Amino acid sequence: MNQDNEPDQTDDPTDDHLAPLKTSIIDEDETHPALDFPALATETENRERPIDKVVFGVTATIAIIFLVWGFVGADSLSNASGDALGWTMQYLGWFFVLTASGFVIFALWLALGKYGTIPLGRDDDGPEFRTSSWIAMMFSAGMGIGLMFYGVNEPLTFFADRGAGGLAIPGTQGQTELTNPQAMDLAEQAMAQTLFHWTFHPWAIYAVVGLTIAYGVYRKGRLQLISAAFEPLLGRHANGPAGKVIDILAIFATLFGSAASLGLGALQISKGVQIVGDFGELGNAALVAIITVLTICFVISAVTGVAKGIQFLSNVNMVLALLLAVFVFVVGPTMFILNIVPSTMTEYVSQLPEMAGRTEAHGDYTATWLSYYTVFYWAWWISWTPFVGMFIARISRGRTIRQFVTGVLLVPSLVSLVWFAIFGGSAIKFQLDGTDIYGDGSPEAQLFNLLEQFPLTTAVSVLVMLLVAIFFVSGADAASVVMGSLSQGGALEPRRLPVIFWGVATGGVAAVMLLVGGTTGLDGLKKITIVAAVPFVFVMVGLCVSLVRDLSRDPLMVRRTYMREAVNDAVITGVTEYGDDFAIAVTQTEPVDSADSAGDGVAPDRPDGSTL
């Protein structure tokens, strides 16, 4: 299929991020494994699905219990989550580290190997969106509260803390001042560690789930449920109790991952209000109030049907984020930013094995550091996979697996590289020159500390708070739709009730997570996110196994096996009997029984009895 001839279709999936599916292009009587395309669900079947009482009932009940526990006994929940985090880091920290890198290798293996040319759709499906639009939407998926919150904080923290977590330059720990070469080496290491957390690893995690959903929905005709992807492993049990457990875990992962993002947004808005309004220190009550106001905004948008307005604001938000980055790049240390990009990329490649292999075995300090950074990030990304995976699956119909993995890994990673080079690089440069951007180490304040060094400080700071607020509202909207869809059997347009419930629950969980952290709300966000993501990391490993089993039986793989065997035998026979003067023809033969070789893509029999 020529992927260059792309149809000019609608370029904005936000009007219906789970667009209606076509009916099957293959007649139902076509059952040959080389042409076996199950009928796709119709638009009505995908939209008019009842609420799954078990999935929604169980998850809603446990979510309410968690909220009551958090608001009534925050200290008790804090102690329990702390103990759970300690157990997780002691026994499963290595598993998070290993699987995160494993997903990168798995995604690259799929893209570069024999499965790379399999399309995410029928054989005659072209890409649903033009490449330029697809890349633009991938760019928007790569932006969010996380980049706003950590754009300055993470590289600056690694630099100011002399490479916390094992990055320090040997022989410099006791120095009060670093030489310029030492400082630049440390700056490059800090940026490389940041890229490790924000580029290929998270997007490989998203790619695994997105690829599984896209393949299942657009090529195999399945519902948009995580459990549906397990049909190759579980068979009919994927639609039974085992499948419901998987969907419940997916909802919980999304709930806590989204709540963590919303909590970060509340922290940053609170600090911005404090700085711009010249108020005193704002406590958890202010954070809960901010979350409440923004959650109400989401509920109103869901009830009154102004979702298109939110989508419009989201698109505007992308433009505003780009303008903010351009502003800092132009008025900030432009040449330093440009110079640090190539050196950071080189440092990232050289340090990748060490960063990927860092575990609790390096000591107690490293174990604590991992729980605060690397393992937290892997857990956070894993908890976001049902939401982000569905989005990138939705916009990637008709792409090949190779195109999908290449785009999903490269485009957002480049966005992160540029974003952190601009904001983190600027902060490091000011810190090098004697301006204290790091301050007391408060993550939510450091972006505003950087903006104070530029003109139009107040206006730009207000812009930042507006950006974060819209990310909050639109993020809650989209994540709640996904949870509503999972609660309603994979419905494309879930009913308002489950969507509103999960929107309110997300805001409530974000508030609880901040309260659990006490005076340091960020700690509560991190430890609960890690614990909540533990079950779903095992689900993701299962997804990888199930996807490979699916791909090995793909009609394209079956046809290739037939082709290799037929052409090889025909050429040998032709050359043996006729030399160079022979032709290959298709004829019918007697039925031939063949051994079951499903593992390499060959069906157990040939029901029509034909061969090449």
Side-chain angles (χ1 to χ4, degrees):
M1 180 172 60
N2 184 0
Q3 297 290 353
D4 293 331
N5 296 327
E6 299 174 7
D8 184 8
Q9 300 185 21
T10 304
D11 292 337
D12 184 6
T14 55
D15 290 341
D16 184 358
H17 68 288
L18 300 173
L21 302 175
K22 300 186 298 182
T23 56
S24 176
I25 63 169
I26 302 295
D27 188 88
E28 292 182 359
D29 293 333
E30 295 282 5
T31 58
H32 192 284
L35 301 170
D36 186 16
F37 290 94
L40 296 176
T42 64
E43 176 179 347
T44 301
E45 290 171 339
N46 277 280
R47 293 181 185 276
E48 298 179 0
R49 300 189 62 81
I51 293 177
D52 190 318
K53 295 180 180 179
V54 174
V55 172
F56 180 71
V58 171
T59 50
T61 300
I62 297 177
I64 291 172
I65 292 173
F66 176 85
L67 290 173
V68 172
W69 186 9
F71 285 116
V72 174
D75 292 339
S76 172
L77 179 57
S78 178
N79 293 333
S81 60
D83 293 341
L85 175 62
W87 184 93
T88 299
M89 290 303 302
Q90 181 178 357
Y91 295 104
L92 293 176
W94 64 272
F95 189 65
F96 276 99
V97 172
L98 187 63
T99 52
S101 295
F103 293 138
V104 177
I105 296 172
F106 178 72
L108 293 175
W109 174 71
L110 289 178
L112 300 176
K114 63 181 179 180
Y115 301 130
T117 55
I118 294 177
L120 302 176
R122 305 301 181 153
D123 285 346
D124 61 350
D125 280 350
E128 187 174 1
F129 302 101
R130 291 192 301 265
T131 299
S132 58
S133 300
W134 185 60
I135 291 175
M137 289 182 285
M138 205 71 68
F139 172 86
S140 68
M143 298 294 292
I145 289 176
L147 291 184
M148 295 295 297
F149 190 88
Y150 287 106
V152 169
N153 166 253
E154 186 164 344
L156 180 60
T157 298
F158 294 153
F159 176 78
D161 286 352
R162 298 284 178 89
L167 298 177
I169 301 172
T172 65
Q173 287 85 347
Q175 295 180 214
T176 56
E177 297 291 338
L178 296 179
T179 65
N180 189 64
Q182 289 173 334
M184 285 308 303
D185 286 345
L186 187 56
E188 292 168 1
Q189 290 183 44
M191 291 293 295
Q193 180 69 48
T194 301
L195 292 187
F196 175 64
H197 291 152
W198 289 86
T199 52
F200 290 112
H201 278 69
W203 285 97
I205 292 171
Y206 295 151
V208 168
V209 176
L211 182 58
T212 305
I213 293 174
Y215 180 83
V217 171
Y218 298 130
R219 193 156 176 87
K220 305 298 287 186
R222 299 184 183 124
L223 294 171
Q224 292 184 114
L225 291 170
I226 302 298
S227 59
F230 281 84
E231 287 184 10
L233 291 180
L234 302 179
R236 59 184 178 82
H237 298 293
N239 299 317
K244 294 184 185 300
V245 171
I246 291 171
D247 290 331
I248 288 171
L249 294 177
I251 292 176
F252 275 121
T254 306
L255 176 64
F256 286 94
S258 301
S261 297
L262 303 185
L264 293 178
L267 286 170
Q268 198 156 48
I269 292 174
S270 174
K271 182 59 67 173
V273 170
Q274 177 184 328
I275 293 174
V276 174
D278 196 23
F279 296 116
E281 190 69 28
L282 298 179
N284 283 334
L287 294 175
V288 173
I290 291 171
I291 291 175
T292 301
V293 170
L294 294 178
T295 301
I296 290 174
C297 291
F298 156 71
V299 172
I300 292 175
S301 73
V303 173
T304 58
V306 296
K308 289 187 177 180
I310 296 299
Q311 293 161 4
F312 171 76
L313 289 177
S314 299
N315 294 331
V316 171
N317 222 23
M318 297 304 141
V319 176
L320 295 179
L322 180 61
L323 291 176
L324 176 64
V326 171
F327 171 78
V328 175
F329 175 75
V330 172
V331 302
T334 305
M335 293 309 302
F336 183 87
I337 294 170
L338 293 174
N339 285 323
I340 205 170
V341 169
S343 60
T344 295
M345 294 171 65
T346 303
E347 189 70 22
Y348 170 78
V349 173
S350 66
Q351 295 292 324
L352 182 57
E354 180 182 348
M355 293 185 294
R358 190 176 293 129
T359 66
E360 189 172 324
H362 289 77
D364 292 340
Y365 176 79
T366 301
T368 301
W369 185 88
L370 286 170
S371 69
Y372 206 75
Y373 288 106
T374 302
V375 175
F376 161 68
Y377 282 130
W378 298 165
W380 193 17
W381 307 139
I382 287 170
S383 66
W384 264 73
T385 52
F387 164 44
V388 180
M390 283 191 179
F391 175 78
I392 59 178
R394 165 61 190 89
I395 66 175
S396 300
R397 182 176 186 176
R399 300 280 165 185
T400 64
I401 289 177
R402 184 168 296 129
Q403 290 174 332
F404 178 91
V405 173
T406 301
V408 171
L409 290 188
L410 288 183
V411 174
S413 295
L414 289 174
V415 171
S416 293
L417 169 63
V418 172
W419 186 270
F420 283 104
I422 291 174
F423 289 89
S426 296
I428 288 174
K429 176 60 175 173
F430 279 111
Q431 198 76 20
L432 275 171
D433 292 342
T435 302
D436 187 15
I437 304 297
Y438 183 71
D440 62 359
S442 172
E444 55 268 29
Q446 289 165 0
L447 174 58
F448 296 105
N449 294 343
L450 175 65
L451 296 178
E452 288 179 352
Q453 314 308 314
F454 304 137
L456 306 175
T457 298
T458 301
V460 177
S461 297
V462 171
L463 173 63
V464 166
M465 289 186 286
L466 179 63
L467 281 167
V468 173
I470 299 176
F471 276 132
F472 184 118
V473 176
S474 58
D477 194 330
S480 298
V481 168
V482 169
M483 288 185 282
S485 177
L486 292 171
S487 301
Q488 201 172 322
L492 296 179
E493 292 182 356
R495 300 174 185 174
R496 286 183 176 179
L497 176 61
V499 172
I500 293 174
F501 175 84
W502 290 121
V504 174
T506 302
V509 170
V512 167
M513 293 167 76
L514 289 172
L515 292 174
V516 165
T519 56
T520 309
L522 189 58
D523 291 343
L525 293 176
K526 291 189 171 184
K527 61 186 180 183
I528 292 181
T529 300
I530 293 172
V531 174
V534 168
F536 201 72
V537 70
F538 292 97
V539 172
M540 287 195 61
V541 173
L543 281 177
C544 294
V545 177
S546 184
L547 178 60
V548 171
R549 188 174 178 85
D550 238 355
L551 294 176
S552 69
R553 298 171 171 178
D554 186 85
L556 183 59
M557 294 294 101
V558 175
R559 293 198 298 270
R560 284 182 181 175
T561 301
Y562 274 73
M563 178 184 67
R564 287 195 303 269
E565 293 179 354
V567 172
N568 181 69
D569 293 344
V571 169
I572 292 175
T573 302
V575 171
T576 300
E577 297 185 7
Y578 307 109
D580 293 336
D581 303 318
F582 69 91
I584 299 176
V586 177
T587 62
Q588 185 172 2
T589 67
E590 293 299 322
V592 178
D593 293 330
S594 59
D596 182 3
S597 52
D600 61 3
V602 180
D605 54 29
R606 300 174 181 180
D608 63 355
S610 63
T611 186
L612 287 178

